[in-house]
Amino acid sequence: MVGWVAALKLVPWGDVIEAAPQILNAAKKLLGTRHRGKADATGAASQVGAGDETALPAQAQLQHLRARISQLEQEQIDGAALIQSLAQQNAQVIRAVEDLRQRCRRLTQAVAVLSAACLGLLVWAVAS
């Protein structure tokens, strides 16, 4: 329990909190464009499948598909940026946990040395 508290103290929370709104906005934008893109695609498909009188001309369909491809490319770029940001934060947490592990190892060694010293003093006091 104490190890986790110490690990959480090592995390640069200022950086994490500073980056949180950007990540949240990117996630909302990514999610919003996905839903909007699905609705656009569904609307276009219903127009095309409704009959010959409402069918989109080939040029309009091509333009719609190009716009959709551009939108999907932007979503992919946004998703990659979000993943990169999360990976950077994950790396910070990993560095903090590794630092904590090293500190814990040094503390264990110090406790072992102090325990041996105390035991030596106890033996010396009893022998005197």
Side-chain angles (χ1 to χ4, degrees):
M1 178 68 177
V2 174
W4 285 106
V5 172
L8 292 175
K9 287 181 182 179
L10 293 175
V11 173
W13 290 110
D15 295 342
V16 172
I17 291 171
E18 183 179 315
Q22 296 169 356
I23 293 172
L24 183 60
N25 289 338
K28 284 181 181 179
K29 182 180 175 186
L30 183 62
L31 195 59
T33 54
R34 279 189 70 191
H35 290 305
R36 188 172 58 247
K38 286 181 183 178
D40 290 347
T42 305
S46 66
Q47 286 179 354
V48 170
D52 290 353
E53 62 277 359
T54 60
L56 293 174
Q59 187 66 24
Q61 288 178 355
L62 184 59
Q63 185 178 7
H64 174 74
L65 290 175
R66 285 181 178 157
R68 182 70 178 128
I69 288 171
S70 295
Q71 181 184 17
L72 290 173
E73 287 173 344
Q74 187 59 46
E75 286 180 23
Q76 189 174 20
I77 291 169
D78 292 346
L82 179 63
I83 290 170
Q84 182 180 9
S85 176
L86 291 173
Q88 288 172 351
Q89 287 186 0
N90 192 29
Q92 288 177 345
V93 170
I94 289 170
R95 281 192 299 271
V97 170
E98 179 61 24
D99 186 40
L100 178 64
R101 189 187 65 78
Q102 290 176 357
R103 287 182 181 188
C104 185
R105 190 181 78 233
R106 286 192 298 257
L107 181 62
T108 301
Q109 292 170 349
V111 167
V113 168
L114 287 174
S115 297
C118 287
L119 184 60
L121 283 174
L122 182 63
V123 170
W124 178 76
V126 171
S128 298

